Amino acid sequence: MAQWTSAVGAAQLARLLKSQQDRPAGPGTRRPPAYRALADGIRLLVLEGRVPVAARLPAERELALSFAVSRTTVAAAYEALRAEGFLESRRGAGSWTAVPAGNPLPARGLEPLPPEALGSVIDLGCAALPAPEPWLTRAVQGALEELPPYAHTHGDYPAGLPALRSMIADRYTARGIPTMPEQIMVTTGAMGAIDAICHLFGGRGERIAVESPSYANILQLMREAGARLVPVAMAEGLSGWDMDRWRQVLREAAPRIAYVVADFHNPTGALADEDQRRRLVEAARSAGTVLVADETMTELWLDDDVEMPRPVCGFDPAGSTVITVGSASKAFWAGMRIGWVRAAPDVIRSLVAARAYADLGTPVLEQLAVNWLFSTGGWEQAVDLRRAQARENREALVAALRRELPDWEFAVPKGGLTLWVRAGGLSGSRIAEAGERVGVRVPSGPRFGVDGAFEGFVRLPFTVGGAVADEAAARLAAAAKIVRNGGTAGGEAPRTFVA
């Protein structure tokens, strides 16, 4: 009986592998033998979760033709992977991916570092800061004072607590976007909001246009939902969207949904201007595409000279094209799993009705805590503290990177929580793997792309500062040195795997 549960086609695997090997070599980088490079590439894809465990690989002849190498090279690579525990085979059943005994299964998104590893590993994987105290404690205390009346109810509010829906609506109105409570649904974080939207509008096999690069966990959520992702390349640097490409994709691919982060884009930090927002809404309306605007970073401007454009939904007065997603998780604290959707009332009703088959509602106590923050002014003071933390960390990380890795390239964003870094001609996947050995966790660029794009990049968040930022940069420099010296080409598996 076959042990594989999915299959990877020869063309797809070749595409993923070539995205790694087509990167220009950094100065002094050693080139491994062809079979070793192939085995190493497949192993990296498995470790990063981009090729699932228990996925059947193509036959040797198929992959040799697609990858333009000899069958002997593929056979040697497969044999090396079997010896290392990353491949299993059975006559008549083919070969399928595996992980060596004792290794945790690789994850396909960006998960927080396990608490037991925090003492030995610097975590640059999760773009989240500690809670802005004392505001978290005060908010929870305030929520407890408001809780007793709700404790006498069933506690399920599929659309969210009326008081919080009204407060969120008022905040949009104050931003110049008239909004009624009936246009708001409270969700369990922004991920819960986007998951609900994808299930309502997407459906298995539907096209979803996404920025390229885009937020890794959202891309994986959409893949798991069966969507066909259509990447749209970002403009160079921090200039936002390439509108010619967006118009072409919306016109020719006619995606059901388009997902964008207009405010301090994750991972690049770009801020789309008002003209780009207006033109994208017009193009989406013409194509009949639902435009999902993720505003989770909108309050995280870090420089005093930033002038925030109008929200994307401000260019859709009829409310027929844009669905907006917001969250407390980035601006306040990731542990506060409160998000929301702003949309036309009929869309909100459909989302609420569908929720009966999902999670029924969002925790009441956390909703009360966010409502307390909004109603007392605590939110603004907490976000001011969050901006100061992120700004200080950004300055420390940028200085450390420029000192330790002067050949790495990046543009410093005016807000958000992340740097998008070109790693000096090295493979981001290999840097991530080498980082495991030297005690720094960093996500590679391909996690933020489609089909192996951005192999030459890593994403670095503003989550550490001071001496920790200096040490993180020093460990990244050590990881880069390992990659330049061919240290990942010998088949040695990292001690642990963290997504």
PDB file of all heavy atoms in Angstrom, residues 167 179 312 364 374 395-396 403 488:
ATOM      1  N   MET A 167     -18.927  51.048  18.322  1.00  0.00           N
ATOM      2  CA  MET A 167     -17.692  51.799  18.528  1.00  0.00           C
ATOM      3  C   MET A 167     -16.804  51.745  17.289  1.00  0.00           C
ATOM      4  O   MET A 167     -16.235  52.760  16.866  1.00  0.00           O
ATOM      5  CB  MET A 167     -16.952  51.231  19.737  1.00  0.00           C
ATOM      6  CG  MET A 167     -15.674  51.977  20.094  1.00  0.00           C
ATOM      7  SD  MET A 167     -15.965  53.692  20.612  1.00  0.00           S
ATOM      8  CE  MET A 167     -16.824  53.402  22.169  1.00  0.00           C
ATOM      9  N   THR A 179     -20.253  55.099   8.551  1.00  0.00           N
ATOM     10  CA  THR A 179     -20.430  53.666   8.753  1.00  0.00           C
ATOM     11  C   THR A 179     -21.471  53.416   9.828  1.00  0.00           C
ATOM     12  O   THR A 179     -21.493  54.094  10.857  1.00  0.00           O
ATOM     13  CB  THR A 179     -19.101  52.998   9.178  1.00  0.00           C
ATOM     14  OG1 THR A 179     -18.096  53.292   8.196  1.00  0.00           O
ATOM     15  CG2 THR A 179     -19.248  51.492   9.310  1.00  0.00           C
ATOM     16  N   VAL A 312      -8.918  52.583   1.789  1.00  0.00           N
ATOM     17  CA  VAL A 312      -9.320  52.072   0.475  1.00  0.00           C
ATOM     18  C   VAL A 312     -10.839  52.138   0.321  1.00  0.00           C
ATOM     19  O   VAL A 312     -11.359  52.491  -0.752  1.00  0.00           O
ATOM     20  CB  VAL A 312      -8.809  50.630   0.283  1.00  0.00           C
ATOM     21  CG1 VAL A 312      -9.311  50.040  -1.035  1.00  0.00           C
ATOM     22  CG2 VAL A 312      -7.284  50.584   0.327  1.00  0.00           C
ATOM     23  N   VAL A 364     -16.211  37.051  24.484  1.00  0.00           N
ATOM     24  CA  VAL A 364     -16.849  38.266  24.993  1.00  0.00           C
ATOM     25  C   VAL A 364     -15.868  39.120  25.785  1.00  0.00           C
ATOM     26  O   VAL A 364     -15.831  40.353  25.632  1.00  0.00           O
ATOM     27  CB  VAL A 364     -18.078  37.894  25.854  1.00  0.00           C
ATOM     28  CG1 VAL A 364     -18.606  39.116  26.602  1.00  0.00           C
ATOM     29  CG2 VAL A 364     -19.175  37.305  24.982  1.00  0.00           C
ATOM     30  N   PHE A 374     -11.062  51.507  23.294  1.00  0.00           N
ATOM     31  CA  PHE A 374     -11.604  52.492  22.353  1.00  0.00           C
ATOM     32  C   PHE A 374     -12.354  53.621  23.067  1.00  0.00           C
ATOM     33  O   PHE A 374     -12.282  54.779  22.667  1.00  0.00           O
ATOM     34  CB  PHE A 374     -12.546  51.805  21.365  1.00  0.00           C
ATOM     35  CG  PHE A 374     -11.859  51.000  20.295  1.00  0.00           C
ATOM     36  CD1 PHE A 374     -12.542  49.987  19.635  1.00  0.00           C
ATOM     37  CD2 PHE A 374     -10.547  51.261  19.928  1.00  0.00           C
ATOM     38  CE1 PHE A 374     -11.922  49.237  18.637  1.00  0.00           C
ATOM     39  CE2 PHE A 374      -9.916  50.519  18.931  1.00  0.00           C
ATOM     40  CZ  PHE A 374     -10.607  49.503  18.291  1.00  0.00           C
ATOM     41  N   GLU A 395      15.297  51.260  14.220  1.00  0.00           N
ATOM     42  CA  GLU A 395      16.576  51.957  14.126  1.00  0.00           C
ATOM     43  C   GLU A 395      17.726  51.050  14.539  1.00  0.00           C
ATOM     44  O   GLU A 395      18.788  51.035  13.896  1.00  0.00           O
ATOM     45  CB  GLU A 395      16.527  53.223  14.981  1.00  0.00           C
ATOM     46  CG  GLU A 395      15.566  54.277  14.439  1.00  0.00           C
ATOM     47  CD  GLU A 395      15.336  55.425  15.409  1.00  0.00           C
ATOM     48  OE1 GLU A 395      15.916  55.383  16.523  1.00  0.00           O
ATOM     49  OE2 GLU A 395      14.577  56.349  15.075  1.00  0.00           O
ATOM     50  N   ALA A 396      17.505  50.266  15.595  1.00  0.00           N
ATOM     51  CA  ALA A 396      18.563  49.373  16.070  1.00  0.00           C
ATOM     52  C   ALA A 396      18.843  48.266  15.060  1.00  0.00           C
ATOM     53  O   ALA A 396      20.015  47.937  14.777  1.00  0.00           O
ATOM     54  CB  ALA A 396      18.167  48.772  17.413  1.00  0.00           C
ATOM     55  N   ARG A 403      25.893  47.347   9.586  1.00  0.00           N
ATOM     56  CA  ARG A 403      27.240  47.103  10.097  1.00  0.00           C
ATOM     57  C   ARG A 403      27.701  45.674   9.803  1.00  0.00           C
ATOM     58  O   ARG A 403      28.825  45.462   9.346  1.00  0.00           O
ATOM     59  CB  ARG A 403      27.259  47.364  11.610  1.00  0.00           C
ATOM     60  CG  ARG A 403      28.631  47.156  12.247  1.00  0.00           C
ATOM     61  CD  ARG A 403      28.611  47.496  13.723  1.00  0.00           C
ATOM     62  NE  ARG A 403      27.714  46.633  14.479  1.00  0.00           N
ATOM     63  CZ  ARG A 403      26.542  47.019  14.978  1.00  0.00           C
ATOM     64  NH1 ARG A 403      26.098  48.255  14.787  1.00  0.00           N
ATOM     65  NH2 ARG A 403      25.791  46.176  15.660  1.00  0.00           N
ATOM     66  N   THR A 488      25.406  24.252   3.789  1.00  0.00           N
ATOM     67  CA  THR A 488      24.126  23.547   3.730  1.00  0.00           C
ATOM     68  C   THR A 488      24.130  22.473   2.664  1.00  0.00           C
ATOM     69  O   THR A 488      23.118  21.833   2.430  1.00  0.00           O
ATOM     70  CB  THR A 488      22.986  24.524   3.420  1.00  0.00           C
ATOM     71  OG1 THR A 488      23.238  25.143   2.162  1.00  0.00           O
ATOM     72  CG2 THR A 488      22.858  25.558   4.497  1.00  0.00           C
TER      73      THR A 488
END
